Every structure is written in C-alpha cells, then in structure tokens.
Amino acid sequence: MKSIQSVRAPFLCGVAILALAGAPLRAATESADAEAATPAAESPDPEAGGVIIVTALKRETDLQKTPIAMSVVGAIQMKDRHVASLYDLADGSVPSLRVATFEARQSALTVGIRGIVPLDANQPAREQGVGIYIDGVYLGRQHGLNAGLFDLERVEVLKGPQGTLFGRNTEGGALSLVAKAPTGVFDGRVSGGVGNYGSYNGEAHFDLPEFHNISIKLDGIVQYQGATTKNPLAGQTGWNYYDRRGLRAAVRWKPTSDITNDFSYDVGYDANSPFYSQLLNYNPANCPSGSATVAQSTAPACTLPGTAFTGITGTIKPLMPGVVVNGTSRMTTADIGVPQQPSIDKTHGFTNSFKFKVSPEIELRSITAWRGVTATQWDNSGGAHRVPVVAPGCTGSACNFSRYSLADLRQAQFSQEFQAVGSVSSIDYVVGLYYFNEHVSDDAATPNSTAIQGYTTAGQTSGYSFVTLDPCRGSAGFGSQPGCRSQDRSSEVWSKSYAAYGQATWNATDALHLTVGGRYTHDKKRGVLHFSRNINYDTNPAAAAANGYVPLDKSWDRFNPMVTIAYDISNAVHAYAKYSTGYRAGGASSRTANYQPFNPEDVKSYEIGLKSDFWDHKGRFNIAAYMMDREGSQVDLSTIQPTATGNFNNLVTFNAPGTTKIRGVEAELMLKPVRGLTLNASYAYTYTDIPAVPVTYKEFTSTGVPTGNSTTVDQKFYIVFTPRNAASGSIDYDLPIGSAWLRFHLDGNYSQSTQSFDQFATHNDSSLLFNSRVSFADIPLGDSGQKLTVGMWVRNLFNYAYVYRRDPTNSLPAVQTGNVFVGSVSNVLGDYGNFNTPRTWGVDASLKF
C-alpha cells in the first residue's frame, strides 16, 4: 500500500486543480448536452419525511410500504453526524444497531442487531451474525470494516433474520451500504476540513459526462486523527489514532435502455491504533492475599463465574511504581510508555453488476465480486494493566510485562450471484443462485514488550525504571518483530457456500399482500491449525494428536423459509406480520489446542409491525415488536485445557443447550411541526436470556493427566453490547437566507449499560452522547453554478466519558490446573477497560460544481 501513501499530496493537489477547472468544464458540458437529463437529486434525508427508496427486497420499494423493520441513514444524516467510518455509528444513532471494537482495536469491528452480537468473530473459522454488504456484495470478515466510507447514498439497516434473500450469517439482520452510482451528467464536489487532535480530512467526488454510453464516477478520501491518549515512550504511536485513505472508480455502461452494466474498483488503507486500556480499579472483589489457603466464604465476591471454589490462595501483588488507577475519567497520557506501532488494514475489491431488462415481466441480474483484506494487528494498549502482573522485587523474566497482542490476517473472497426479478400479473418475484468462496489465514503471538528494573544507591534499591525489551529476543527468547515471534496460534480456512432462493409476493387485492420465500444453503468449511502454543502441527503430528487435534472438515445444509402478510389499512398506514429464519455457520476455535469445532446456530423470528404517515407526510410513526428464539447459541468460555506441553487457560467456543430468548420493541417517530423544523425520535427495547449452561471443570496434574476430581456448576452467559433500553433523538432546522440555507443539527443518543463479555455479569457504563453541526449551505458563487457550504461539527458535544468495554478477567481468581476447587489470586490486579472517544470538533468546507 506504499503507492496509496504516496498519492496523498498529488491527490490533494488534483482536488484543487479540478475544482478550479470545474466551472469551464461544466459550461462546456452544458453547452454540448443542452438536452441531457439533469443530475439525479440526492436521496431524501430519511429524517425529513418524503418517499425513501430502498432495495431490501432486491427491488426498489418505498420504505414505508416495505414489510421489513428497517432504518435508513442517508447522506445528509451522515454528514450532520460527521459519520466518517462505520465505527461512528457506535454512538447509537440507530438504537437497535450496536457497533463496538473487537477488544480495543479499531481494525476489527463487532456489529450486532437485535441481540445477535458475536463476541469473538475475529477468528478465521468463525462467522458474523450480521451480514455487511457493499452494493449487494457480502463481506466475509469483520476486518477492514472501519476504513473510510466512500460517497454513500444511504446505509440500510435491516432488522431481524434475513436468511431468505441475504443468506447465511444474517440471523440478526443486515447492514447494506449503497454507494452513489455514476449519473452520466457532469457533477463534482470537493471538500476538506480540519479539527482538534491534529485531524484533517479531504474528499473529492466527480461525475463525468456520458461518452459513448459510458459514465464514470471517481471518489477519493483522506481522513486523519492524531492520538487522543499520548504514549510517553518516545517515537511510539499513541492510542486512538487513525490515518485512512481510499480511492474508488465506478463505470456504468448502458448500451441500450434495457441493459445496465456497473463496474467498480475500490482500494483502501487504514493505519490505526487501539483505544487505550486503563486500569479502572484495584482488587475490586476484595480477594484475600497470602500464602495460606482461606475459605472462599470469607470473600464471597472473589469467585469466578461458573466455578465452585471452596478456597482462595495466592498473593496479590502491589501496584508497580507509576501505575495509575483511574476508573472515572479518560486519560490523556498513558501512565507507562510502551512500544506501540500502528495496525494496518488494506482492502480492495472489484464488483461487476449487470442488469438486463428482458421484458416488462423479467429483469436478469448478475453480481460478480472479488474482494480481499490484509490486517496486521499491533495492540499494546493494556501496558501494565493486564496479565502478566509483576511487582517490584521480581527477578529475571518474571519482571517482563506489557503483553503485545500481535496478529496477521489475510483474506480473499469471490462471490457470484444470479437473480431474476420481475412481476407477472399480481405476483412480484425474486429468484436467485448464489456462490461464495473464501480463503482466510491468520497467525497470532503475545510477547511481553517491557520490563521493570530496580536501580541501587549505596547498595540499596532506591528506585525503579522501565526498559523496553529487545523486539526480537527479549521475551523469553522471542519478540514482536516478524521472524522473531512465538506462534501462539496459526490457522487457515477454506469456506464455500452454495444457495438457491426464491421469494414471491401475491398482491391478492390492492390492500392485501402475501409473501412466501425460502432459501436452501449448502456450506462447506475446511480448516487446519498450523501452530498452537508454538508447536508446529505440520512438522510435529505426534504432538498435534496428543492434543486431540483434528482438522476441520464440516458441511451443513439449511433451508430458511419466511412468510409475510401485509395489509394496507390506508394509503398512509401499513401493517404486517412476519415469520422469518436465519442461521450462522459453524466452525472451529483456533484458540484451542485441539481446534475445538462447534455447530451452527439457528434463529426463528416472529414479528408484527405498523408503518404510518400522517399530517400530509409531515409526521411518521413506525413500530415493530418481535420474538426471536435461537438454538445452539455459540458462546465462549475461558477454561483450562490440557495440552502436550502443559495446561493452558483457553477461550473455548461451544453451542449452548436450550433456547436463547430475544424479545424486543422498536419505534421511530418523525415530525415536521413547522416549516424548516424536523424532529426525530427512535427507541429500542431488547430483552435477552441464555439459559444457564452446566459446565464441568476437570482437575489435571501438571502433565495433563486427569486426577478424577471434577466439579459441575451452572454457568450463566450473556449477550454482549446489547442494552435493555436505547434511544436516539435529533432536531434539524433549516432557515432560508437568500438563495442559501442556514442549517442546524443536534442529536442525542442514550444507551443503558450492558455486558462486554458473555461469561461475566460485569457491566460497562451507560452513555448519553450528543453531536451537533451548524452549516451555511448552498451559497451561490456568482453565475457559475458553483455552490459553497461551510460548517462546524462537534461529536460528543459535552465531552461525556464512559467505559464502553470493561474486562473483569484480571479482577477474579483463576482456575488452577491442579486443584479446580481452589482459586488462585496471583494474577489479580483489577478491571481494565476502554473509554469512548473524547469530544472531537472541526470546521469544513465543500464546493459543489
């Protein structure tokens, strides 16, 4: 991606040159094409009323008449909220859509809808629960999702299982990103801005005139923000930094009025660092400390969920010098400087979408796509705040700390979809065939990067300092640099999916509509574990067999039906009842020594909804209520796993027995009480419950031999990042001033606290965030037709600080391999977690010509 880095200066210069050239080029174009169609108007703002066209049914339909619970975030709304990447939707602008970082890392996002939120979809053999699509193309990995957004027309948030039309891994819903297509009429827009934390951004979007039935649209973006938490170690990257840029070219060929062929190519680069992980408290469970074992009943809070400890043993280490405990405010500078370099995501993709209107009754479509992503993860955000815990007085390697979480991921995918869409008499139909092929590989390592050293005066220890370990051999003979790493794990996965689907709507009367659909899917997944705990399974099959390793070779078949009854109570009021299904494919956990497999999970959904317009389309109220039952929920459990080289605490993924219940209500309200004023409110209530799971802990000797002792307890699991109550509201006011507009926007977003880990009841913080923008828009510049917009934006207006991710694993005793009835507190330190982004603000200007 060096070539992309090198284009930044020429790209910005080109923006300026094209802006200056825009007026004469536009004039020449208008003179030559006086009778050409005018540029397509921007889609209506979903928050401002009017007809909103969506493609959730694989055809263009009116949002209000589409019997699907969905929200639409339009281009104007994204501009007002300064949504520059998908993570910016984490503020809760769509209450039932939840977006969070995986761990603290911006390089991989966790996306959930209606309580379907996978905790650890970061593994190659594990899938997401919400499908992410760009112009109809499914993205197989959550990596690279936070790259800068190109010129989007809208984001469609489809809520509930979309297993019939969208397929596997959409049991929670789908997030569909729709880019603006070439229009064939000259149009251009360039913009740029600056803000706090040294941030700047620039965009250029050009629609070129149609030439010989070919139209071209070019897009380029640059986004930069400096670190919001500084790293005291000289020359190292701070935290919550990003540097993004991307290019996109779209070509539309329309040889006849019945044929449209769209080709697009995009490339993106995202350098970023994780959010800083602060130590929020110290020994919050009041665990006892000492060499003798004490009864667990003396410290009832000092227990690990899902265990049956009768005793507690071990010594809790004191805090190292310089370590700061801060659970109330966001730190602007880290307490201890540690090595940190940017994580790098590189994405690219080719898409060809072909449409042929054969007759008024049928349109044939083909969507062909190749996409890929590479991600290098460098996460040292925990510093001295997570294991291993060290203290003054240590010796040798016991003084090493600051676990540097490193990972590389490489993914390539190909997909092909054929569709036939049309209407015959009173029936609207969609039928299709789908093929998906993906190859993913990854590796991971966790060397320590820093050590504490004592220094002496007159033969006595008088103080301590921190030293950076050799990046190649400093951590027990290993290090962070490529070629020097101990391989914690390395895996490779090949996935193929085949599907055939169909959906038909019978318009029985002008008011009654019955839709029936189904999708058959065949999934096949092969996977191998190359390394586990630095054991090369390829060259040491005996050790692999001793660990119980079996390569993944599984296939699954599913049929996902759906039925919808919709009734138009009036031209402005529409009701529906819907039954739908979905499933998430199975896989295997590369975090386990045996490559532990797990099966798919399946969901059934029952939903009723009402969509209404009133006050002559100046008011809108939509509401939906649903019940979802999920079988085979994929959950994660931190437990001891014996291996040929020792016993390790691993994260094991398995299917929970019983039925997970998810219940909810969603509502949206829009009012335009007076000219220029638009009010919006939305709310989501989500109830989730996973039945308690019996978990058996077995006792092993130090060589991994079972002692015969075990204990079985009921373990409670939770659905992460899913608040019981969430709401959002906004105020928009447009005031005409001559030929221009003064625009004001303010939005507020609330989220109740929720769990960050499915094994722990510990909650993160509730949040209440406000964003605002004021702009002077569409200022005419003479008679050239150019228009200027200037504005100022603020995200997190009141600089509200809250912990969005809280990890209690360092606060509780650990299971001992030799005695499952006595917990060890030797690595107890405290909760560590991540605060949200502080207030960011900026000014920008946009020139349209």
Side-chain angles (χ1 to χ4, degrees), residues 163-188:
T164 301
L165 290 184
F166 287 84
R168 68 179 193 141
N169 305 333
T170 59
E171 56 177 358
L175 195 64
S176 178
L177 283 62
V178 181
K180 294 179 181 177
T183 65
V185 178
F186 179 78
D187 190 35

Side-chain angles (χ1 to χ4, degrees), residues 679-704:
L679 307 175
N680 283 274
S682 54
Y683 169 75
Y685 168 84
T686 311
Y687 167 83
T688 63
D689 180 66
I690 302 176
V693 178
V695 175
T696 299
Y697 288 89
K698 296 181 180 180
E699 189 177 86
F700 300 90
T701 66
S702 59
T703 58

Side-chain angles (χ1 to χ4, degrees), residues 513-531:
H513 316 277
L514 174 64
T515 301
V516 178
R519 186 186 190 104
Y520 168 76
T521 303
H522 174 75
D523 278 346
K524 183 173 179 60
K525 185 172 292 188
R526 294 189 301 110
V528 294
L529 194 60
H530 295 299
F531 274 86

Side-chain angles (χ1 to χ4, degrees), residues 172-514:
L175 195 64
S176 178
L177 283 62
V178 181
K180 294 179 181 177
T183 65
V185 178
F186 179 78
D187 190 35
R189 175 167 47 89
V190 294
S191 63
V194 295
N196 61 338
Y197 297 105
S199 67
Y200 60 83
N201 63 82
E203 296 185 27
H205 309 285
F206 298 102
D207 249 322
L208 302 183
E210 182 181 312
F211 180 75
H212 289 284
N213 302 318
I214 295 176
S215 305
I216 298 176
K217 187 174 186 295
L218 303 174
D219 303 295
I221 58 170
V222 173
Q223 301 170 356
Y224 176 88
Q225 176 186 278
T228 60
T229 300
K230 297 178 182 178
N231 190 340
L233 186 61
Q236 297 301 301
T237 303
W239 289 278
N240 191 23
Y241 138 94
Y242 62 76
D243 184 2
R244 309 174 186 132
R245 62 204 79 117
L247 298 170
R248 183 178 187 270
V251 179
R252 169 167 286 184
W253 178 49
K254 198 170 177 62
T256 73
S257 60
D258 297 324
I259 295 177
T260 302
N261 192 77
D262 286 313
F263 172 83
S264 66
Y265 169 73
D266 64 85
V267 59
Y269 173 90
D270 179 14
N272 61 79
S273 61
F275 285 74
Y276 186 60
S277 296
Q278 298 181 198
L279 185 61
L280 304 177
N281 47 46
Y282 177 70
N283 190 16
N286 294 314
C287 292
S289 178
S291 57
T293 299
V294 300
Q296 197 277 329
S297 58
T298 63
C302 184
T303 187
L304 186 68
T307 62
F309 292 151
T310 59
I312 301 295
T313 190
T315 300
I316 298 176
K317 300 178 180 67
L319 292 175
M320 285 194 300
V323 172
V324 173
V325 178
N326 183 353
T328 59
S329 63
R330 188 188 301 107
M331 293 173 65
T332 57
T333 302
D335 50 9
I336 296 174
V338 295
Q340 176 68 67
Q341 67 183 70
S343 301
I344 305 292
D345 293 346
K346 301 177 183 178
T347 59
H348 68 273
F350 306 83
T351 301
N352 193 83
S353 179
F354 177 81
K355 297 180 181 180
F356 177 28
K357 188 73 172 179
V358 179
S359 70
E361 293 79 22
I362 183 171
E363 179 177 86
L364 300 180
R365 301 176 182 175
S366 169
I367 304 175
T368 308
W370 293 265
R371 296 201 63 86
V373 58
T374 60
T376 61
Q377 171 190 300
W378 299 78
D379 180 4
N380 208 2
S381 60
H385 306 157
R386 59 184 180 187
V387 293
V389 179
V390 300
C394 58
T395 59
S397 61
C399 295
N400 297 348
F401 69 98
S402 193
R403 175 180 173 269
Y404 211 165
S405 182
L406 313 169
D408 297 315
L409 179 134
R410 300 153 293 273
Q411 185 255 13
Q413 67 172 67
F414 169 79
S415 61
Q416 174 64 58
E417 186 167 7
F418 296 108
Q419 299 173 357
V421 182
S423 300
V424 177
S425 184
S426 60
I427 296 178
D428 302 327
Y429 66 88
V430 179
V431 295
L433 299 172
Y434 180 74
Y435 171 71
F436 179 79
N437 190 338
E438 181 187 37
H439 177 213
V440 195
S441 62
D442 82 328
D443 55 74
T446 53
N448 295 317
S449 63
T450 309
I452 183 173
Q453 280 188 350
Y455 51 87
T456 60
T457 302
Q460 299 293 322
T461 300
S462 58
Y464 295 89
S465 63
F466 301 105
V467 297
T468 300
L469 299 174
D470 182 276
C472 190
R473 295 287 178 255
S475 180
F478 298 96
S480 61
Q481 294 304 310
C484 302
R485 299 176 180 178
S486 169
Q487 294 294 318
D488 284 2
R489 66 179 188 276
S490 174
S491 65
E492 193 168 7
V493 181
W494 298 263
S495 299
K496 291 184 178 181
S497 182
Y498 308 82
Y501 62 90
Q503 184 167 300
T505 299
W506 175 41
N507 302 298
T509 69
D510 289 342
L512 181 62
H513 316 277
L514 174 64

Side-chain angles (χ1 to χ4, degrees), residues 15-23 25-26 30 39 186-190 205-207 784-788 846-849:
V15 167
I17 293 171
L18 285 169
L20 292 173
L25 180 57
R26 181 186 180 97
E30 291 175 346
F186 179 78
D187 190 35
R189 175 167 47 89
V190 294
H205 309 285
F206 298 102
D207 249 322
S784 64
Q786 296 180 350
K787 293 185 178 182
L788 176 68
S846 176
L847 178 65
K848 182 176 175 61
F849 47 87

Side-chain angles (χ1 to χ4, degrees), residues 470-762:
D470 182 276
C472 190
R473 295 287 178 255
S475 180
F478 298 96
S480 61
Q481 294 304 310
C484 302
R485 299 176 180 178
S486 169
Q487 294 294 318
D488 284 2
R489 66 179 188 276
S490 174
S491 65
E492 193 168 7
V493 181
W494 298 263
S495 299
K496 291 184 178 181
S497 182
Y498 308 82
Y501 62 90
Q503 184 167 300
T505 299
W506 175 41
N507 302 298
T509 69
D510 289 342
L512 181 62
H513 316 277
L514 174 64
T515 301
V516 178
R519 186 186 190 104
Y520 168 76
T521 303
H522 174 75
D523 278 346
K524 183 173 179 60
K525 185 172 292 188
R526 294 189 301 110
V528 294
L529 194 60
H530 295 299
F531 274 86
S532 179
R533 303 292 180 176
N534 209 36
I535 299 176
N536 188 329
Y537 280 12
D538 297 333
T539 60
N540 194 345
N547 288 342
Y549 165 68
V550 176
L552 177 67
D553 190 359
K554 298 279 188 178
S555 61
W556 302 279
D557 296 277
R558 287 294 189 277
F559 179 73
N560 291 112
M562 66 83 62
V563 178
T564 301
I565 299 176
Y567 187 74
D568 302 329
I569 299 172
S570 69
N571 288 334
V573 181
H574 313 276
Y576 68 90
K578 180 180 180 181
Y579 167 77
S580 59
T581 60
Y583 100 104
R584 177 155 61 126
S589 174
S590 58
R591 301 184 189 277
T592 57
N594 64 333
Y595 208 33
Q596 181 74 36
F598 51 87
N599 289 318
E601 59 183 26
D602 298 271
V603 65
K604 296 179 180 179
S605 175
Y606 310 86
E607 178 180 330
I608 57 174
L610 180 76
K611 297 185 175 185
S612 63
D613 286 313
F614 52 93
W615 285 357
D616 193 23
H617 296 286
K618 295 177 182 177
R620 173 174 296 163
F621 178 68
N622 297 343
I623 188 168
Y626 63 89
M627 299 171 53
M628 293 169 57
D629 293 331
R630 186 173 67 179
E631 305 291 338
S633 295
Q634 296 170 12
V635 297
D636 300 290
L637 178 68
S638 181
T639 187
I640 297 297
Q641 186 177 43
T643 74
T645 55
N647 303 322
F648 296 98
N649 196 324
N650 284 326
L651 192 69
V652 178
T653 304
F654 65 96
N655 297 95
T659 301
T660 295
K661 298 182 182 299
I662 304 174
R663 309 287 188 258
V665 176
E666 299 157 342
E668 296 181 346
L669 174 67
M670 183 278 297
L671 297 173
K672 300 184 72 174
V674 297
R675 183 182 178 88
L677 178 63
T678 304
L679 307 175
N680 283 274
S682 54
Y683 169 75
Y685 168 84
T686 311
Y687 167 83
T688 63
D689 180 66
I690 302 176
V693 178
V695 175
T696 299
Y697 288 89
K698 296 181 180 180
E699 189 177 86
F700 300 90
T701 66
S702 59
T703 58
V705 178
T707 65
N709 295 327
S710 65
T711 180
T712 300
V713 296
D714 287 336
Q715 167 74 59
K716 184 64 178 175
F717 289 91
Y718 305 90
I719 293 179
V720 299
F721 299 117
T722 302
R724 182 68 59 91
N725 295 281
S728 178
S730 66
I731 302 172
D732 290 273
Y733 186 64
D734 297 345
L735 178 67
I737 300 179
S739 299
W741 292 86
L742 181 62
R743 303 191 69 241
F744 171 80
H745 170 85
L746 175 69
D747 66 76
N749 312 277
Y750 167 76
S751 175
Q752 192 174 352
S753 66
T754 182
Q755 284 85 3
S756 305
F757 291 85
D758 54 6
Q759 189 179 353
F760 300 101
T762 304

